[in-house]
Each structure stands twice: as C-alpha cells, then as structure tokens.
Amino acid sequence: MYRIHHLPAGELSVTTFEAFIQGEKTAPWYCRVSAMPYNTVWPGGQRPIEQTELASFISFEMDEPIEVKLVACRPFQEAVVRPLSKGILPRVSGREIAFTIDRPGSYTVELDGWHNALHIFANPLTDFGVDKAAPGVRYFGPGVHEVGNLELEDGETLFLDGGAVLYGSVWAIHKKNVRIVGYGVIDGSREERTSRSRQICSARGEDLDCRSEETVRALLKTEPITRGCVRLYSCQDCEIAGVIARDSSEYAYTLAGCERLNCEWIKTIGMWRYNSDGIDLFNCCYVRIANGFFRNFDDCIVLKGIKGWDQTSQHHIAVTGCTVWCDWGRCLELGAETCADEYYDILWDDCDLIHGTHIHIDLQNGDRARIHDMLVRNIRCEYSAHDMPPVYQQDMSAPYGAAGAPWQPTLIESVIYNGMWSRDHMLGETYNIRLEDIHIYGPENMPCPKCRFVGADEAHCNHDIVIENAVLNGRRLAPEQLCLEMSAWDRNITVK
C-alpha cells in the first residue's frame, strides 16, 4: 500500500521533472535552496535571491516496494540517486529515469551534478496513532493554513496531514507530552529576519537563567526573537515526527533545555537564508533524532551549549539513520558554542552525509565543555567532482568567484579554541572519542580527505581518540594512508 502527498491548490510546483509513483502522476513541490556556498556573518539583511536556485521534492508513504518514474525537462548525461550506500542504479531511457525504492528513506535524484535536484521523502505508512477528532488534537488536513505563531499546551498534539502546508511557527514553553506529527509542511517563509532580530533566547551579556519560563516569556515579549519553524523551550517527554520544515528564517528546529524528546522522520528543505540550520539542541538530554533528512544552508545537526541554558550539560543524545546535505558549514557538529560543563554519552550512528561543504564530522569545542564518551559509527561521507569551495563574502556586491575550482571538504575535525563564537572564553577538553567504520565515497583515485585535530595547550587538547576502519571507495585505509593532521598538544590519537 502507498499514499501520495499531493501538492495542495494554491501551492507552487516545479517543472524540472514530471513524477510518477506506482504509475500515478504527482506534481513536485516547490522549494528554494542555495546555489553556491557563499556566505557572510549576518549583515543585517537577507541573502540575495541571486545566490539561490529552485529545487523540488515529492512525498509519499509506503509499506511495499515503490516504482518511481521521472521525466526530466532537459537532456542530461548522468543521473545519480543518493545516498550511494542504498545502491540504487536508475534505469535511463532518453529523459526518463526509473528505479525502485524498497524501503522508507530520503533520497535525491541529481542530473549532471547537484543543481536543481529532486528530493524524495519515502515515509513509513502510518497515522501516528492519532485520532483526529480526539480532545487535545489540533488537526490540519490537506490544504494551505495560515496560523502565525501557534503555541501548544500540555498534552496537545498537532497533527499536520500529508498534503497540508502550515504557514507560521509552532512552539511550546515548559510543556510536557506535546506531539508535533504528520507528513505535512511547516513553512517559515512568512517570517522576515531584520537587522533588529535577535536569533535565539539566550543570555546576551546578562546573567539570565533561560530555564525559567518567566525569563523566556519576557524575552519573547520584549525582544524581536525569530521563531523559525519549531521551537521547544524546556519541554519534557515530547515528540516531533514526520513533518517537513521549509524555508525557515534561521534555525528550523530549536530544542532548548529539553529532556526526553523523540524526533524521527523529520525533514528540512528549502533552507537558503543566512543561519538556516537544521536541528539545534541547546543543553538537552535524552534526545533521539532518527531517520531524518536535513538539507541546510548552515550546519545541519548541531549540539550547542548556549549561555542562559548552560547550567545543564548535554548528554544522552543519539543521532541515527539520518541523511544529511550541507550547503554551508558542517553536516554533524558539536559547537561551535559549547557553554556547558560536559557533553557525554553521545552517539552518531548509521548516517549518510551525501553532500558537505566545510566539514563532514565536526567536534568544535569553543567554550569550557569537557566533551567525552562519544561514539561516531558507520558514517558514510560522499564526495563529488561537483563540490564547490566555500567562500566568505566580504563585499556584498561581489559575485561568487570560485565556481569550477577544485574542493574537498574535511572528513573529521576536532578543534579546541577561544574564538568569535565563544562566550565562556574558557578552554575545554575533548577525549574518549571513538570513530569507527567511516566510509568515504568519491571519484575514483580521489585523495583521502583530511582529518584535523587541533588542541589549544597541554591541558586543553584532544586525547585518547581512536579512528578505526576508515574505508575509501571500498578499500580499507592503512593507518599511514589516513590524511591525519595533529597539533603538538594532542596525544593518544590512534588510527587502526
């Protein structure tokens, strides 16, 4: 059985592909993405539209193999379906592309490189266990809904059906047992970030405890703080499942000071604006992020320690089964802000990083945290001849000038420093980290990408770290073949 989430009336479609699911035609949904890795520190106004391009997505549910057929609007030489680890080899005849999806997941179809890609969200068939008519359920069916800022209360469920588009933001403060579920879209494009906008609820030079509901509500009332698509502040025992966040004004999902959260099958797409991260955890614990898709113009899955929330350490975080496309920054990241006493019991497992820009796997310790007892396992990092160098824009009138230049993102980096994003201005430490079964996919004969470890001094360094079984295009790398850079301070970094 399958169920297609068709485009609702009034929503834009994209005509780069015709799409058929099990022979049934469906119109690809519209999204705008970055066309180049060209960025700057927030300049007070939004990014020029000329730095973006159109892309598209389709969404459906399945509990059986699904045949996908696409007809491209232009001729092409090469069609690639990612993640490469799924082993999907499309059948191509002229402009027709066909393939079978055997299991739920997130996929992309790219013609002669990644521009104007089609994204496919093949979801598990489910109703999320929701009775749409039950008390405490806010149900939005297929169609377009304007909601502004929608606040949820204890025990409430927002059910956003496939084919629904909710324009606005969804948030909860100090709530328990909140659910945000369904395969619909939460679109943040109505929110404008300006020179007056404050990005997050945090202590900005003040001695604030943002774990206080009164403090957070006062900040939201008195400061022009952006809402993004989903915000949960100091919430417990909550769930976000299935939903697609599109075109956020900045961070798409922000979970701050939360405990016991389950986030699965969520997506981010259409993220082209400055600082449009995927999902950011501020000083959270007992959080699961599973089977998501994140394409972002900035870091994708991020564990931050933020002033005002930093009385709580970040721990017991699991990121599993996710597919990540980073148009700027880092795919999987700790930091750069690490305002917390500790980060520990963290798992990144079984993820496909299908496009990167700066760094695929980043442990960026910019504050006081002791980062330890972390396992990074079975991560598949893809490289392409179409990768483009990231450039910081110094002159807002200058065009991106690095198109066609060779570039290779860093594979692994762990840096300890006091820099522009630091707030504690106290150095941390990173240790007892294990990275195993790191698979690198790329053009034949590509050089091994860099791995960098940069400590700050003898007491604040990387130590007792193991990298085991790094594989490049199916060939296990010998220790001396891994391109490893270390500072003089780092010690006991072992490659097996």
Side-chain angles (χ1 to χ4, degrees):
M1 183 177 174
Y2 68 96
R3 183 160 53 214
I4 300 174
H5 306 143
H6 291 293
L7 189 72
E11 282 290 295
L12 294 176
S13 184
V14 178
T15 59
T16 49
F17 293 92
E18 286 185 287
F20 301 84
I21 306 301
Q22 296 288 72
E24 183 178 349
K25 189 172 184 178
T26 187
W29 293 56
Y30 161 94
C31 58
R32 182 171 294 280
V33 297
S34 177
M36 60 195 73
Y38 200 25
N39 202 355
T40 188
V41 176
W42 172 244
Q46 200 43 261
R47 192 172 177 214
I49 203 74
E50 294 78 18
Q51 297 177 10
T52 72
E53 66 183 30
L54 296 183
S56 57
F57 65 92
I58 57 176
S59 177
F60 56 88
E61 299 165 59
M62 58 180 288
D63 64 1
E64 63 185 13
I66 295 295
E67 182 73 6
V68 176
K69 188 180 86 169
L70 307 171
V71 181
C73 71
R74 62 174 176 83
F76 57 90
Q77 298 297 315
E78 178 188 53
V80 174
V81 179
R82 301 181 190 273
L84 297 177
S85 67
K86 305 304 182 187
I88 296 178
L89 300 177
R91 306 179 300 277
V92 176
S93 176
R95 296 187 185 184
E96 288 191 1
I97 306 155
F99 53 91
T100 301
I101 294 177
D102 290 325
R103 63 183 72 99
S106 296
Y107 306 86
T108 66
V109 179
E110 304 170 23
L111 306 183
D112 300 332
W114 54 267
H115 292 289
N116 308 115
L118 173 71
H119 306 72
I120 299 174
F121 303 140
N123 302 288
L125 187 70
T126 181
D127 61 3
F128 298 92
V130 176
D131 178 355
K132 300 171 187 177
V137 173
R138 300 195 191 190
Y139 173 67
F140 292 88
V144 175
H145 310 272
E146 301 276 354
V147 300
N149 299 317
L150 177 60
E151 183 175 6
L152 299 177
E153 302 297 331
D154 280 334
E156 282 197 317
T157 293
L158 169 65
F159 184 39
L160 193 59
D161 218 336
V165 181
L166 187 154
Y167 282 94
S169 65
V170 179
W171 50 293
I173 305 174
H174 278 260
K175 296 300 183 290
K176 295 182 179 180
N177 301 310
V178 164
R179 301 183 73 205
I180 303 168
V181 301
Y183 291 128
V185 173
I186 299 175
D187 186 293
S189 63
R190 301 286 196 258
E191 181 174 47
E192 181 183 1
R193 184 181 174 192
T194 71
S195 60
R196 295 183 60 250
S197 299
R198 184 168 170 177
Q199 195 173 5
I200 54 177
C201 282
S202 65
R204 189 172 56 179
E206 314 98 337
D207 184 19
L208 295 180
D209 184 350
C210 292
R211 299 173 302 172
S212 159
E213 181 173 0
E214 182 179 289
T215 297
V216 168
R217 290 196 180 277
L219 285 171
L220 290 170
K221 184 176 180 180
T222 60
E223 299 273 359
I225 295 173
T226 53
R227 302 284 181 150
C229 293
V230 176
R231 295 286 183 272
L232 299 183
Y233 294 114
S234 297
C235 292
Q236 298 178 346
D237 302 300
C238 297
E239 181 179 25
I240 311 171
V243 295
I244 302 169
R246 182 176 67 180
D247 198 357
S248 182
S249 65
E250 43 97 18
Y251 302 169
Y253 299 94
T254 299
L255 313 178
C258 294
E259 299 181 16
R260 298 181 301 279
L261 302 184
N262 183 49
C263 306
E264 61 181 347
W265 295 102
I266 64 175
K267 299 95 175 168
T268 60
I269 191 64
M271 304 294 167
W272 60 274
R273 297 197 256 180
Y274 293 122
N275 305 115
S276 55
D277 287 17
I279 183 168
D280 289 56
L281 308 186
F282 300 173
N283 305 85
C284 293
C285 57
Y286 301 101
V287 178
R288 173 179 178 259
I289 303 170
N291 305 314
F293 175 86
F294 301 89
R295 181 177 179 182
N296 296 88
F297 184 71
D298 219 324
D299 310 315
C300 294
I301 301 176
V302 193
L303 279 58
K304 291 183 177 293
I306 297 295
K307 297 302 288 185
W309 303 93
D310 60 319
Q311 301 88 345
T312 302
S313 290
Q314 187 123 244
H315 59 92
H316 291 89
I317 311 293
V319 176
T320 63
C322 291
T323 302
V324 178
W325 176 331
C326 186
D327 283 317
W328 176 272
R330 284 77 170 154
C331 292
L332 302 177
E333 181 181 32
L334 301 186
E337 306 92 330
T338 53
C339 296
D341 292 337
E342 293 182 274
Y343 279 51
Y344 63 92
D345 281 338
I346 296 168
L347 171 68
W348 291 345
D349 183 33
D350 189 26
C351 292
D352 289 283
L353 314 183
I354 63 173
H355 288 288
T357 306
H358 290 81
I359 304 164
H360 280 289
I361 301 167
D362 187 36
L363 313 182
Q364 189 176 178
N365 196 343
D367 288 290
R368 71 181 192 267
R370 289 182 294 116
I371 297 173
H372 62 95
D373 293 289
M374 179 176 182
L375 175 60
V376 180
R377 178 179 63 195
N378 196 21
I379 306 297
R380 299 170 292 276
C381 303
E382 299 186 21
Y383 289 77
S384 165
H386 302 284
D387 291 338
M388 299 172 69
V391 176
Y392 283 94
Q393 187 170 14
Q394 307 297 334
D395 177 355
M396 294 309 295
S397 65
Y400 176 78
W407 176 251
Q408 186 180 63
T410 298
L411 179 65
I412 300 165
E413 184 164 293
S414 182
V415 179
I416 298 165
Y417 69 106
N418 178 19
M420 68 180 295
W421 307 116
S422 301
R423 294 296 177 265
D424 284 330
H425 304 294
M426 300 166 58
L427 293 171
E429 183 183 9
T430 302
Y431 60 96
N432 287 353
I433 311 294
R434 185 174 182 85
L435 302 106
E436 62 182 44
D437 299 330
I438 308 300
H439 292 261
I440 307 160
Y441 296 80
E444 194 63 33
N445 300 319
M446 69 172 275
C448 182
K450 290 181 181 179
C451 299
R452 298 180 67 241
F453 294 85
V454 184
D457 56 38
E458 188 172 357
H460 307 95
C461 64
N462 299 283
H463 63 90
D464 299 294
I465 294 172
V466 175
I467 303 174
E468 182 170 0
N469 193 34
V471 178
L472 174 59
N473 287 335
R475 299 183 297 273
R476 180 168 181 164
L477 296 171
E480 64 274 12
Q481 292 177 302
L482 194 69
C483 188
L484 182 63
E485 299 178 3
M486 295 169 46
S487 74
W489 310 113
D490 299 309
R491 63 184 188 271
N492 295 337
I493 296 179
T494 304
V495 179
K496 297 182 178 180

